[in-house]
Amino acid sequence: MTAFVRSYLFLRRAIGVLGILLPIVVIIGKELLEGGGLLGSLSGYYYSDLRNVFVGTLCAIGVFLIAYRGYGRVDDIAANVAAIAGIGVALFPAQPVTPTPTEHAIGVAHLVFAAIFFLTLAFFCLFLFTKDDGAPTKRKRSRNAVYRTCGIVMLACLVLIVVNGLFFSAATADLHPTLWLESLAVFAFGFAWLTKGETLLGDQPQTSLP
């Protein structure tokens, strides 16, 4: 049983670490290898020398999510949906600047997969990770606050990305808001999973009285 618990803590931590590292590695790595300044979105790094890192990290997150098993059927379904969506984001790239009709269709699929991915992960944070047995410890209450904050951050980032894309994209292009909002959403996702893996705010071990 102890080995089982440790394996799932490892999965949660691995998912969290990959999520946090993805924006850092692709943004800094691209600048070191290619230069040329920031791109408009994280998905844009598919078209850089960091393509394999971008695709590989998302596929690894997807595989870990497939292997993940929660406390019930809903957890498992949500993990599988997020896994498929994450792999879809990797394999269906964002459309380039001047897309062909096929590339445009693939780009639309990319956006759908990305929305499902983040919405499902926000659902984890807001509704699944916050479950308890009715008598949560102080650390568990603290973790729940982290989960809810991360879920709200992800949803807020998605809304702001859509609003910016619809109304302000030309005016804000030089500030790369989509890149930073996507990165913040991915950080929130990774932070939540690290917390779920008890890397952060883990329950203190019980000590037996002599």
Side-chain angles (χ1 to χ4, degrees):
M1 185 64 180
T2 301
F4 177 83
V5 171
R6 286 177 178 173
S7 67
Y8 279 100
L9 288 177
F10 168 79
L11 278 177
R12 294 163 182 165
R13 291 167 182 168
I15 292 169
V17 169
L18 289 174
I20 289 174
L21 288 180
L22 177 59
I24 297 171
V25 172
V26 297
I27 292 172
I28 296 177
K30 188 263 183 186
E31 290 306 303
L32 292 176
L33 294 175
E34 296 180 41
L38 299 172
L39 301 182
S41 68
L42 278 181
S43 300
Y45 286 83
Y46 178 90
Y47 297 101
S48 73
D49 286 349
L50 273 294
R51 172 188 295 186
N52 291 339
V53 174
F54 177 79
V55 172
T57 301
L58 284 171
C59 288
I61 290 173
V63 170
F64 283 138
L65 284 168
I66 290 172
Y68 176 78
R69 289 294 176 268
Y71 298 110
R73 183 171 176 78
V74 174
D75 301 66
D76 296 342
I77 292 173
N80 290 336
V81 169
I84 293 170
I87 294 172
V89 171
L91 300 184
F92 290 79
Q95 64 183 22
V97 177
T98 55
T100 65
T102 300
E103 289 171 335
H104 175 73
I106 292 173
V108 171
H110 174 86
L111 292 176
V112 172
F113 280 125
I116 294 172
F117 182 64
F118 280 115
L119 287 173
T120 308
L121 293 174
F123 175 73
F124 262 106
C125 291
L126 295 172
F127 299 104
L128 300 182
F129 286 172
T130 54
K131 290 180 180 178
D132 57 55
D133 58 4
T137 65
K138 183 178 179 181
R139 287 292 184 94
K140 171 59 175 170
R141 291 194 295 271
S142 297
R143 291 198 297 272
N144 284 350
V146 171
Y147 302 144
R148 293 189 179 100
T149 300
C150 290
I152 291 169
V153 167
M154 282 189 276
L155 292 178
C157 287
L158 287 181
V159 171
L160 290 173
I161 288 170
V162 171
V163 170
N164 177 75
L166 290 175
F167 302 109
F168 307 108
S169 57
T172 61
D174 292 340
L175 300 176
H176 309 288
T178 299
L179 173 63
W180 299 123
L181 288 169
E182 286 179 343
S183 298
L184 179 59
V186 173
F187 282 142
F189 144 64
F191 195 70
W193 280 81
L194 274 181
T195 304
K196 186 63 177 176
E198 297 190 22
T199 299
L200 305 170
L201 297 174
D203 283 326
Q204 296 174 338
Q206 298 287 338
T207 57
S208 58
L209 295 175

